[in-house]
Amino acid sequence: MAKKPIQFQLNGSSKSVFVEEGQNLLEVLRREVGDLTPKLGCAQGACGSCTVLIDGEQIVSCLTLAETVEGASVETAAGLANGPTLHALQEAFMDGFAAQCGFCTPGMLVSAKALLDKNPSPSRGDVIEAISGNLCRCTGYEPIIDAILAAAGNGHNSAGRYSGSGRQS
Amino acid sequence: MIEFRKDIFADERDDNLNEIGKPTRRQDILGHVTGRSPFYDDHQFEGLLHLKCLRSPHHHARIRSIDTKPAEQMPGVHRIIQGSDVKVNLNTLLSLMNFGEDDEPVLSDKKVSYVGEPILAVVAETERQAFDAIAKIRVDYEVLPHVLDPEEALQPNAPLVNETMPGNAFPYHEKYNHQKLRFGDVEAAFAQADHIVEDRYQMSPIEQAPIEMCGAIAAPETNDRFVCYTSTQALFFSLGTAAKVLDVPSNRLHFIGGTVGGGFGGKVDSLHEPLAILGCMLTGRAVRYAFDRQEEMQVGAPRGAERWYIKDAVMNDGRITARKFTGYFDVGAYTRLSSYAIIKAAGHLPGPYTIPNVYADIYCVYTNRTPATAMRGFGITGVDFAIESHMDQIAHKLGMNPIELRLINSYMDGDMKAHRREAKNTALVECMQVAAEKSGWNIAPDFKAMSSHNGGEGWRSEIPHTVTDTNGQIGNGVPASTVRPATTSIPAYVPSQNPSYAAPPAQPARPVSPPTPQSNVQATPTAPPQASAPASSSTPKRPRVSRFSSISGTRRR
Ligand code: FES
Ligand code: FES
């Protein structure tokens, strides 16, 4: 099958790869680019563990053709931390026991980031809506919802309050 | 929010808990939130090949022939693995513990016994190429009659699901088609009961549904060893199984795991590791064998279906004087771990209650359904659902407060359990008292004053006379008195203190008692293991010691 060159931004740095026609973005990110943070949980758009942001929009990468991200900006959980400095959401997930097996966590964090980027002070309902496409079999969701609210400064932990700028400095 | 009730059993422990009750970060949490935790599929290999299985479309069929020729020529195909390539192509998981006959092929190329059973495997450059090749393979099936219900599977004319298991039942002690528990004499108690309460309960299979699907990647290592990255929950189980099935010393296999994307019992079956390693041995390349989501749901072993019949003898004052169980575990086509779950269930009966006469026959039944395996509370959850539903039915029938009914029958320290071990460190009474308090559920003052320390009096601590049958085995005898008196430690039930708890919601009609078992396998009773020294009624109450360990006398796993 003919391979096609594509170029896109991944967490702020430029990537150029050859992709096969019909290859999905999840596979390209994991196998070609080597960003292993998006996880394969179903390949059917059902679980959300492959969630990434494309130009700020929450997308399931398993159902996205890789060639369609040409020129776009892709964000994954690998881009959340700034060097050793964790994102407020990551801190809140650690403090709030919002991960058990950790398999859904990168997708969950990306969905939460998409929410907070648009709405820095979400209600509980907004949070539930934002992660409604992400399945978690371990936590029962409540600690995740609480952690996202905490990161936004609506919970008990306002130390790492989300600045709304995408990255914590 | 955790609340400590240190007032309960306060004299039994030093108040020096320094971890419990304080949140402690998971040691792997940083990896989780940065997405760096190394799940098996996060290991990258140059030239990784993919293994996919051809699976049975039938519940039950004999395989007349397999034509793999057209697939061998397909692009990207490196190897087709057949049953004959597997050195030891018959296994059972518990054989590592010397329990049960090998009954399950790794690749089943003679007969298939459930939809999705693997027949052969194709190793190809991509998963897509492996699927394309599988689509070209022609299998000639002779479809056989199948059975999907455990009670039907025990009928003498039922199709034979698993050729290692005649009569479609696991042979306990190599000869009995069920696990048996006998304690006292239920029939005599039924004859003297004020009420008989009977019903049937069933639980469907439940998929563990971890978000990370099961899989393994194997790759060649130096010195003729193989490394295997796996999602297994039971690393040494999987290592032992792979070594047995592939007939290699386990020191040639280097297993790496421990980062499991949710297991819940569904990742113990070691289905992926042997085939991934075999693929690697046969191709010299790294091989990945992973379930897709459809396989995870269809082929991944669930918690099996269970059906329980319970018949209780109940007195007007709420005492349950006998409880009889007939249980069917639908374990699917192969044993996996299910025979062990039934032993666990038998040790758990009659639930956390002290009932002087208990009787149980529990069958581990093969059907043409997906083999079942462990899931949380393995062996216990289904029967606990049945027992607690039944307790509520009794409470409704007697118009009793359901918590008080449970308190009347609750086990307490020093009581003799039906499996002939003394109940120690019990706390059911206190748990129910606190649960009632927290939920604002009223219970009478006498019941609020009960304590787990007050059991073990008189008959409660004794092993009742359990008559043996003519073969000298424990059977169904007729001791003189089976309806035991209430003991002083249990408050009398005062109906006037309670509003009506009668009238459960109407339920559709269903059979409440099991059919008479007919089977072509010998159904002679077997004795449950006898505890060596039963507590005598004259023994003074044991000193109160710190509460740890478990009721069954074995360490919890
Ligand atoms: S892997 Fe993409 S939604 Fe599940
Ligand atoms: S933490 Fe395991 S699936 Fe969410």
Side-chain angles (χ1 to χ4, degrees):
Chain A
M1 227 181 289
K3 292 221 180 191
K4 191 172 170 183
I6 61 162
Q7 210 168 3
F8 60 98
Q9 296 287 308
L10 178 63
N11 299 319
S13 58
S14 175
K15 299 286 170 196
S16 317
V17 283
F18 284 99
V19 301
E20 276 169 26
E21 284 171 20
Q23 210 175 3
N24 67 58
L25 178 62
L26 176 63
E27 197 176 296
V28 167
L29 288 174
R30 288 180 58 85
R31 300 218 180 274
E32 312 299 330
V33 182
D35 181 348
L36 297 164
T37 58
K39 301 295 179 196
L40 170 68
C42 67
Q44 300 173 349
C47 74
S49 52
C50 66
T51 305
V52 301
L53 304 187
I54 300 179
D55 294 332
E57 291 298 324
Q58 213 181 340
I59 298 284
V60 283
S61 60
C62 68
L63 294 188
T64 302
L65 291 176
E67 52 205 276
T68 63
V69 301
E70 169 67 38
S73 161
V74 178
E75 290 170 74
T76 67
L80 279 173
N82 185 7
T85 310
L86 295 181
H87 190 280
L89 278 164
Q90 292 171 307
E91 293 280 4
F93 269 53
M94 288 179 53
D95 288 341
F97 302 90
Q100 284 183 30
C101 78
F103 198 80
C104 71
T105 310
M108 215 44 108
L109 285 164
V110 167
S111 290
K113 177 174 188 292
L115 169 70
L116 298 195
D117 282 351
K118 294 197 183 109
N119 177 3
S121 338
S123 67
R124 198 171 184 84
D126 296 334
V127 172
I128 292 170
E129 170 93 40
I131 62 166
S132 60
N134 294 77
L135 297 183
C136 175
R137 186 65 158 148
C138 304
T139 62
Y141 300 102
E142 295 297 316
I144 296 176
I145 297 165
D146 289 343
I148 296 169
L149 288 169
N154 291 353
H156 59 282
N157 171 29
S158 54
R161 188 173 152 64
Y162 191 70
S163 64
S165 64
R167 285 268 176 89
Q168 206 187 9
S169 48
Chain B
M1 223 255 314
I2 299 173
E3 178 191 329
F4 279 97
R5 290 295 298 268
K6 293 186 175 179
D7 53 315
I8 299 172
F9 309 127
D11 57 332
E12 295 183 24
R13 71 176 107 70
D14 299 331
D15 190 11
N16 60 356
L17 303 179
N18 47 27
E19 288 293 337
I20 294 172
K22 300 195 184 84
T24 302
R25 272 188 181 176
R26 302 178 58 91
Q27 61 178 21
D28 54 5
I29 190 74
L30 186 60
H32 288 355
V33 302
T34 53
R36 289 202 199 107
S37 294
F39 296 97
Y40 89 91
D41 203 23
D42 295 338
H43 297 278
Q44 307 274 71
F45 292 89
E46 196 55 43
L48 182 71
L49 300 179
H50 298 265
L51 184 151
K52 282 281 157 193
C53 287
L54 167 67
R55 298 186 178 281
S56 166
H58 301 293
H59 290 302
H60 200 193
R62 204 161 292 287
I63 295 174
R64 290 201 195 97
S65 64
I66 304 175
D67 180 11
T68 58
K69 282 253 161 43
E72 285 156 18
Q73 323 302 331
M74 293 287 289
V77 172
H78 280 247
R79 176 82 195 209
I80 294 174
I81 305 178
Q82 308 238 32
S84 55
D85 295 315
V86 184
K87 287 248 174 62
V88 180
N89 194 21
L90 201 64
N91 181 44
T92 191
L93 280 177
L94 288 172
S95 63
L96 298 177
M97 290 158 54
N98 249 340
F99 185 38
E101 291 272 305
D102 289 336
D103 70 339
E104 180 171 9
V106 175
L107 293 171
S108 203
D109 52 8
K110 308 265 179 315
K111 192 184 109 157
V112 283
S113 297
Y114 66 95
V115 170
E117 179 159 10
I119 296 166
L120 55 73
V122 172
V123 183
E125 298 277 338
T126 65
E127 285 184 295
R128 174 70 183 273
Q129 288 170 332
F131 280 129
D132 288 347
I134 284 170
K136 297 281 185 214
I137 295 173
R138 293 285 157 252
V139 181
D140 183 13
Y141 296 100
E142 175 196 343
V143 176
L144 302 172
H146 61 264
V147 59
L148 301 175
D149 181 275
E151 286 182 71
E152 285 169 24
L154 289 177
Q155 298 301 317
N157 54 354
L160 179 61
V161 173
N162 178 330
E163 287 177 0
T164 315
M165 302 296 171
N168 292 331
F170 181 86
Y172 284 93
H173 307 281
E174 276 126 41
K175 51 185 166 179
Y176 306 119
N177 77 341
H178 59 287
Q179 182 72 19
K180 198 179 282 282
L181 176 67
R182 296 288 185 275
F183 187 73
D185 181 353
V186 291
E187 295 304 331
F190 289 142
Q192 297 171 53
D194 293 331
H195 307 272
I196 300 288
V197 184
E198 282 189 88
D199 215 330
R200 184 187 82 162
Y201 304 89
Q202 354 187 47
M203 190 180 70
S204 315
I206 300 171
E207 167 57 39
Q208 297 86 354
I211 305 296
E212 179 207 41
M213 297 169 290
C214 297
I217 297 175
E221 239 185 14
T222 51
N223 301 327
D224 205 20
R225 293 176 92 220
F226 299 91
V227 63
C228 181
Y229 293 90
T230 159
S231 67
T232 184
Q233 269 180 266
L235 199 76
F236 287 89
F237 222 7
S238 300
L239 171 64
T241 299
K244 174 184 169 187
V245 162
L246 302 172
D247 194 23
V248 295
S250 56
N251 63 9
R252 278 183 60 201
L253 305 176
H254 177 189
F255 269 57
I256 299 177
T259 304
V260 180
F264 318 110
K267 286 179 178 164
V268 298
D269 280 7
S270 310
L271 303 177
H272 296 83
E273 300 81 0
L275 276 179
I277 298 167
L278 181 58
C280 175
M281 288 171 162
L282 295 174
T283 61
R285 300 260 295 260
V287 171
R288 171 179 180 267
Y289 174 28
F291 274 165
D292 58 33
R293 182 51 71 183
Q294 194 193 339
E295 287 173 308
E296 185 73 44
M297 303 306 279
Q298 170 71 49
V299 188
R303 183 205 292 288
E306 290 173 39
R307 180 176 299 151
W308 289 91
Y309 293 90
I310 305 183
K311 178 178 180 184
D312 279 6
V314 187
M315 306 308 283
N316 284 330
D317 61 6
R319 279 176 300 135
I320 299 168
T321 53
R323 175 165 283 177
K324 180 175 181 176
F325 294 91
T326 308
Y328 301 94
F329 277 70
D330 178 351
V331 309
Y334 299 106
T335 310
R336 306 275 173 97
L337 305 167
S338 296
S339 50
Y340 156 75
I342 285 144
I343 291 188
K344 257 177 92 184
H348 181 66
L349 303 182
Y353 303 106
T354 292
I355 297 176
N357 303 285
V358 182
Y359 178 114
D361 288 344
I362 315 169
Y363 297 81
C364 175
V365 190
Y366 300 90
T367 64
N368 294 107
R369 301 221 280 187
T370 309
T373 193
M375 193 176 173
R376 318 177 76 170
F378 190 33
I380 302 300
T381 312
V383 72
D384 264 344
F385 155 72
I387 289 170
E388 295 310 323
S389 303
H390 203 66
M391 293 302 280
D392 286 341
Q393 300 257 46
I394 296 170
H396 287 310
K397 178 147 184 172
L398 270 55
M400 282 182 77
N401 181 329
I403 297 281
E404 292 181 3
L405 173 77
R406 286 172 170 83
L407 284 165
I408 286 170
N409 292 287
S410 173
Y411 69 171
M412 297 187 279
D413 289 357
D415 288 359
M416 181 54 60
K417 295 277 291 172
H419 59 283
R420 292 155 172 81
R421 295 262 189 180
E422 182 189 332
K424 294 176 184 167
N425 313 315
T426 61
L428 179 64
V429 168
E430 287 73 14
C431 284
M432 286 194 289
Q433 288 164 337
V434 174
E437 176 194 318
K438 292 287 164 198
S439 55
W441 186 274
N442 192 41
I443 56 174
D446 282 353
F447 288 103
K448 286 186 186 151
M450 278 177 73
S451 159
S452 284
H453 290 142
N454 292 341
E457 287 176 44
W459 66 267
R460 297 182 66 103
S461 67
E462 290 167 7
I463 295 176
H465 182 52
T466 303
V467 174
T468 53
D469 67 14
T470 45
N471 295 330
Q473 288 164 326
I474 289 193
N476 203 10
V478 195
S481 166
T482 50
V483 181
R484 308 299 169 140
T487 44
T488 52
S489 53
I490 297 176
Y493 188 71
V494 185
S496 62
Q497 287 173 341
N498 287 279
S500 176
Y501 292 96
Q507 305 221 10
R510 59 188 169 211
V512 295
S513 57
T516 322
Q518 319 167 2
S519 172
N520 42 14
V521 172
Q522 186 190 8
T524 314
T526 172
Q530 291 272 354
S532 48
S536 138
S537 54
S538 59
T539 315
K541 229 172 246 169
R542 70 188 172 81
R544 289 174 194 174
V545 290
S546 61
R547 303 191 161 244
F548 70 100
S549 171
S550 70
I551 311 298
S552 66
T554 53
R555 288 199 170 273
R556 282 180 202 280
R557 287 160 201 272

